[in-house]
Amino acid sequence: MNPSKLVSRLIAAAVSAQKNAYCPYSRYPVGAAVLTESGRIFAGCNVENASYGLSLCAERVAIFSAIARKQLGLKAVCVVANSARPCGACRQVMFEFSTRDTELYLVDLNPRTRRQKVRRTYVHKMLPEAFDPLSSGLLPAHPQNLIKARSSISAKRPKARRK
Ligand code: THU
């Protein structure tokens, strides 16, 4: 697939998800979408709660739904808001599943005119000196490779015989 077409699809998914934001407290709708290594797109919106601290950002909703489908490698992330800037917590969560090539599209969408301003950058640039699962020694390999290794181990293991 044409890469610019993929980016348009990613942005469209985030714009569409923004419409589902549940944000009656902040009235600040955010949409996000991620493109995974396998070429799939997962979207999310912010979900708030009367107990404010339980609210979840759009980026984490999108990333966690990819993880829930075992899609651990992010090729690109897109965030759409009036002024799209991922919070610090989301930058750290993005970093966990990104490589130095993971692109980040920040789309400022004017809610009145619907005009879009797109900025392209990289996840790793948004969080210098991140707490890194690899250099901290907490993980021996990128999460995506760990999952691959684990599933090949379980594929090789002979099935337990039924008693
Ligand atoms: N929000 C996001 O969804 N993503 C961000 O990166 C920044 C903030 C949400 C959280 C809350 O629902 C609303 O925007 C206002 O902070």
Side-chain angles (χ1 to χ4, degrees):
M1 168 143 356
N2 175 339
S4 62
K5 212 166 176 185
L6 259 182
V7 171
S8 317
R9 275 184 49 203
L10 184 70
I11 293 176
V15 169
S16 166
Q18 189 199 22
K19 295 183 186 132
N20 299 336
Y22 176 73
C23 54
Y25 307 105
S26 72
R27 296 177 196 276
Y28 191 80
V30 183
V34 297
L35 172 69
T36 64
E37 286 295 341
S38 62
R40 291 172 66 182
I41 289 176
F42 296 85
C45 58
N46 50 334
V47 183
E48 298 182 347
N49 191 275
S51 176
Y52 293 176
L54 301 182
S55 303
L56 203 55
C57 293
E59 296 90 322
R60 274 176 284 164
V61 172
I63 293 169
F64 294 162
S65 57
I67 306 308
R69 305 301 301 178
K70 246 189 178 179
Q71 308 295 304
L72 278 84
L74 302 180
K75 270 174 110 158
V77 178
C78 173
V79 187
V80 175
N82 189 10
S83 171
R85 293 292 172 277
C87 77
C90 288
R91 291 177 198 210
Q92 180 68 38
V93 170
M94 283 177 204
F95 188 91
E96 179 89 11
F97 303 106
S98 295
T99 66
R100 288 186 72 79
D101 296 326
T102 304
E103 295 174 10
L104 177 61
Y105 292 88
L106 301 172
V107 181
D108 292 343
L109 178 62
N110 184 311
R112 200 174 45 81
T113 62
R114 305 301 289 170
R115 255 182 76 95
Q116 291 182 7
K117 206 182 89 206
V118 181
R119 180 155 80 94
R120 177 181 171 273
T121 179
Y122 291 91
V123 166
H124 79 92
K125 281 200 176 167
M126 299 295 281
L127 194 61
E129 300 192 38
F131 185 59
D132 186 338
L134 300 178
S135 54
S136 62
L138 285 170
L139 278 187
H142 186 274
Q144 192 191 6
N145 298 331
L146 273 183
I147 289 287
K148 274 191 204 141
R150 251 188 244 134
S151 46
S152 73
I153 291 167
S154 57
K156 276 182 207 140
R157 198 184 298 148
K159 282 209 183 96
R161 261 197 270 147
R162 287 167 80 185
K163 287 189 186 141

